[in-house]
Each structure stands twice: as structure tokens, then as C-alpha cells.
């Protein structure tokens, strides 16, 4: 029987501190809070703009960007702090803060205050991202970690599938966009209670690190000296840029390009589902084929599909069907690639998992947010900017992966 309040003084490699199914589900639920805080907002962007007098449709995307920027910078804090004080107290405080900032967003009376609340909300959500990855790394490594992350990602993908429908359902029922924030906060409170009652500490007392600036700088230097950590972190940042560009502009694409805003939740769910399927497939084959062979092949597939989609858009053949099908195929490749990128970036970081996860998360999220904002702000009434961005980011990701692997791509590992 688990004793959740007790620290695991020693933790065997590749072993969960809870029943494996519950462990994966709880990890996925904490990860899902990030997606829930983003994707449930998408149907409400026009209503938020109208309510808070946001003149430019493209500026509504800042509701997403502010969240991501707060999410990025806060990750630099959570890693070292969780390496010092343990995963459990730090993650508990982060989850509670997420609930509070949701409430602040819900009562915001101006667009500026909403953006500040969204940045704070993202900063709280960062704890779930950083500490959760470090927590998994405390318990698993290598292919086993990639399998756990894939299974968690598969469950976590229920959030982007269901979150827009959750937001849209509130609006259709006559509720305000503010009710969406209250609903997200209530969900976060339930996840926080589950975590606190069930998850024990995974970082043993003897593995704790000091918060001395010299130690943190040394650990960051260790991450930056590892070519796999740098290469796969940058690759994840480039691909995340394409994803965030899609998330930021998909509501306008459905409304202005295809004139079917009512189909946003359905199309978004279909696209997000293929990411989950890609992660599930990865969890079934990664132990046999290896992280490199799978992720390199998936990245190559993403580049090919992005190139095809760009040509379709440029030649004027884009339709709702081509958009949904090609984007879904590309997101399946995204899921296969990024599930493994995370594990490979953390491969040699077991001793400093929290700090390494925070630095890698900062680079991935901030880089992805800025790239995604640039793609989204170039929306011109077509899908060309989005797929030009996806193609460029895919090629850049492939280049940095090739450099990290010194040209030895598609090999088993």
C-alpha cells in the first residue's frame, strides 16, 4: 500500500511509485492542464475580443502567446527548486497557483489584465510541465522513459481533443467566456487533490541539490555541453513553433478561410487525435525500434507532408478536407517525433533532471511561442503562412538533429 506523504528514499530504475496505470494517468492529467489552459480558449477568442474591445483579430492570439511566455520563463525556476526541495511540495504549490490564476483571469475587466493573468496562469502551469518530466525521469530512463511519456502523452491528448468542445459548449449554452476559466480552475483543483493524496516524493534526500548559483550554472553548463540535449531541445522548439502557429491561427482559418467556424471543435479534435495515435504507436514500438529510428523517420515525414500542404495552399487547391487530412497526418508525425525528442534530450540528465528539464522546457516553449506568434501574426486570409512556417521549422529541426547525431540518422538506439 502506498504512503503518499512519505519520501521514496530509494527508487529502482524503471519503476513507478504508484500502480503503473494510475501513475501514467496522473502524469497525463497534470500535463493536460497546460493544453486545457490553451485549447479551451480557442472558441472564445472572438467573444473575448468583443467583450474587452480588442480591435485586431490577430491581436486576440496574444491570449495564447501571453500564456506561453509566462510558461517559458517560469520553467527556469521550477527545475532548480524541485531539485532542492523535492517534486511533491513544488508541484503542489504550482497546481494551487494555477487554480488561483484561473480565477483572476475569469474576473479580468480589461484585455491588459487578462494578458497579465494569462502569463501568471502559464507560469503556474510550467510547474506541471517541468516537475512532471523530472518526476518521470526519477523513475524511468531511456526507452522506458520514452514509453511512459508516450503513454502519458496519449492520455494527455484527450485535453486538446475535448478542451475546445468544453469551451464551445459553454458558449453554446449561453455562458460567458469567463465561465471557461472557472471550469479550467475547477478541473485543476481536482487534479491537485489527486496528486497530493496519491503521489509520493520521488526524489530521495541524498539526491537533493543546492540552490547555490554556482551549482545551477554548472548544471546548465552540463546541459549545454551535451550535444543530444541541445540538438533535440532545439528541434523540439522548432516543431513547437509550427504547432503554436497552428493553435494561434486555427480559429481564424476556420472562420475566414473556410467560413465554417462552427466546425472548429470537430476539426481540431480530429487533428489532435492523430497526435495521440502517433504517441500510442510510439509506446508500442519504441522498445523494439528505438527512439532515433522512429523520431528521425517521423521528422522526415512531417517535412514531406508540410511541403505538400504548402504547394496545395499556394496553388489554390486548399479545401477544408485537404486542410484537415494533411494537418492530421503532420500531427501524427509530430507526436511520434516529439515523444522521443524529450527522452533523448534527458538521456544523460538523470542527476540533474529538474534543472535540465527546466532549461530545455524554457528553450522549447519560448522558442516555440515566439516562432508561433510570428507565424500567427502573418495570417493573411490563407493557410500559406502557416505551412511555409511548418516546412521551414521542420527543415531546421532536421538540420539540428543531423548535427547532434553527426550525420548518423535513422539508426537504432
Amino acid at each position: 500500500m502506498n504512503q503518499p506523504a512519505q519520501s521514496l528514499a530509494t527508487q529502482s530504475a524503471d519503476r513507478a511509485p504508484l500502480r503503473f496505470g494510475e501513475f501514467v494517468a496522473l502524469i497525463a492529467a497534470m500535463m493536460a492542464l497546460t493544453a486545457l489552459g490553451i485549447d479551451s480558449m480557442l472558441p472564445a477568442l472572438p467573444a473575448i475580443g468583443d467583450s474587452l474591445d480588442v480591435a485586431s483579430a490577430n491581436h486576440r492570439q496574444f491570449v495564447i502567446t501571453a500564456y506561453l511566455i509566462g510558461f517559458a520563463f517560469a520553467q527556469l525556476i521550477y527545475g532548480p527548486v524541485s531539485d532542492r526541495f523535492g517534486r511533491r511540495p513544488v508541484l503542489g504549490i504550482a497546481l494551487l497557483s494555477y487554480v488561483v490564476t484561473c480565477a483572476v483571469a475569469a474576473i479580468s475587466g480589461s484585455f491588459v489584465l487578462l494578458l497579465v493573468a494569462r502569463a501568471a496562469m502559464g507560469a503556474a502551469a510550467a510547474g506541471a510541465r517541468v516537475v512532471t518530466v523530472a518526476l518521470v525521469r526519477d523513475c524511468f530512463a531511456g526507452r522506458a522513459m520514452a514509453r511512459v511519456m508516450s503513454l502519458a502523452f496519449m492520455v494527455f491528448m484527450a485535453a486538446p481533443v475535448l478542451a475546445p468542445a468544453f469551451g464551445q459548449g459553454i458558449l453554446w449554452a449561453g455562458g460567458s467566456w469567463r465561465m471557461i476559466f472557472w471550469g479550467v480552475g475547477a478541473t485543476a483543483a481536482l487534479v491537485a487533490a489527486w496528486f497530493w493524496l496519491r503521489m509520493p516524493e520521488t526524489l530521495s534526500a541524498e539526491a537533493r541539490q543546492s540552490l547555490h548559483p554556482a551549482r545551477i550554472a554548472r548544471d546548465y553548463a552540463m546541459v549545454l555541453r551535451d550535444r543530444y540535449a541541445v540538438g533535440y531541445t532545439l528541434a523540439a522548439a522548432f516543431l513547437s513553433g509550427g504547432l503554436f502557429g497552428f493553435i494561434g491561427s486555427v480559429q481564424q482559418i476556420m472562420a475566414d478561410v473556410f467560413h465554417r467556424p462552427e466546425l472548429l471543435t470537430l476539426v481540431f479534435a480530429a487533428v489532435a487525435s492523430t497526435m495521440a495515435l502517433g504517441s500510442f504507436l510510439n509506446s508500442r514500438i519504441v522498445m523494439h525500434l528505438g527512439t532515433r529510428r522512429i523520431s528521425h523517420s517521423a521528422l522526415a515525414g512531417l517535412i514531406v507532408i508540410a511541403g505538400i500542404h504548402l504547394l496545395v495552399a499556394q496553388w489554390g487547391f486548399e479545401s477544408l478536407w485537404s486542410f484537415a487530412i494533411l494537418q492530421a497526418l503532420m500531427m501524427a508525425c509530430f507526436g511520434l517525433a516529439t515523444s522521443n525528442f524529450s527522452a533523448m534530450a534527458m538521456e544523460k540528465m538523470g542527476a540533474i533532471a529538474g534543472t535540465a528539464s527546466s532549461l530545455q522546457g524554457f528553450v522549447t516553449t519560448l522558442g516555440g511561442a515566439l516562432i508561433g506568434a510570428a507565424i500567427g501574426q502573418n495570417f493573411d486570409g490563407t493557410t500559406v503562412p502557416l505551412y511555409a512556417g511548418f516546412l521551414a521549422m521542420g527543415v531546421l529541426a532536421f538540420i539540428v538533429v543531423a548535427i547532434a547525431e553527426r550525420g548518423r540518422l535513422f539508426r537504432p538506439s
Side-chain angles (χ1 to χ4, degrees), residues 118-133:
R118 287 289 287 169
M121 189 175 165
R129 191 274 176 197
V130 172
V131 185
T132 295
V133 173

Side-chain angles (χ1 to χ4, degrees), residues 65-335:
T65 306
Y67 182 99
L68 293 172
I69 290 176
F71 187 92
F73 280 97
Q75 291 181 79
L76 292 172
I77 299 172
Y78 284 113
V81 170
S82 73
D83 280 344
R84 171 64 183 87
F85 296 107
R87 317 304 185 203
R88 183 174 156 84
V90 175
L91 190 47
I93 291 171
L95 292 172
L96 180 61
S97 299
Y98 190 86
V99 175
V100 173
T101 52
C102 283
V104 174
I107 62 175
S108 296
S110 70
F111 192 57
V112 172
L113 180 56
L114 177 63
L115 294 184
V116 171
R118 287 289 287 169
M121 189 175 165
R129 191 274 176 197
V130 172
V131 185
T132 295
V133 173
L135 190 154
V136 173
R137 182 60 186 85
D138 290 340
C139 307
F140 298 91
R143 295 187 183 187
M145 180 181 176
R147 176 172 177 263
V148 172
M149 292 301 290
S150 293
L151 288 170
F153 193 73
M154 181 186 68
V155 179
F156 143 82
M157 283 309 301
V161 170
L162 299 175
F166 168 74
Q168 187 66 72
I170 289 176
L171 297 177
W172 278 346
S176 164
W177 58 267
R178 300 178 188 277
M179 290 301 300
I180 299 175
F181 285 106
W182 289 118
V184 173
T187 303
L190 291 175
V191 173
W194 182 12
F195 166 79
W196 195 253
L197 292 173
R198 294 293 298 155
M199 182 66 76
E201 180 59 66
T202 59
L203 185 68
S204 62
E206 58 269 23
R208 306 290 171 91
Q209 305 285 333
S210 78
L211 278 176
H212 194 284
R215 193 279 300 176
I216 296 173
R218 184 176 64 249
D219 289 350
Y220 282 160
M222 178 179 173
V223 176
L224 295 174
R225 285 195 300 268
D226 186 278
R227 71 176 191 272
Y228 296 128
V230 172
Y232 285 107
T233 298
L234 289 176
F238 291 136
L239 294 188
S240 295
L243 175 64
F244 294 151
F246 168 74
I247 291 173
S249 56
V250 65
Q251 188 277 326
Q252 289 170 267
I253 288 173
M254 293 302 299
D256 299 341
V257 178
F258 302 119
H259 309 291
R260 300 297 301 273
E262 74 279 6
L263 295 180
L264 170 64
T265 56
L266 179 61
V267 171
F268 196 88
V271 169
S273 296
T274 62
M275 291 177 66
L277 290 173
S279 294
F280 175 71
L281 176 62
N282 187 67
S283 72
R284 302 301 299 267
I285 64 177
V286 68
M287 302 297 285
H288 304 290
L289 298 180
T291 54
R292 285 169 172 80
R293 181 175 291 170
I294 295 170
S295 63
H296 298 169
S297 299
L299 180 55
L302 184 147
I303 292 170
V304 171
I305 296 168
I308 292 171
H309 206 157
L310 178 59
L311 291 176
V312 168
Q314 283 184 320
W315 291 345
F317 297 128
E318 183 77 288
S319 68
L320 183 56
W321 281 104
S322 67
F323 174 76
I325 293 171
L326 290 172
Q327 182 67 36
L329 291 173
M330 194 160 55
M331 288 297 94
C333 293
F334 180 96

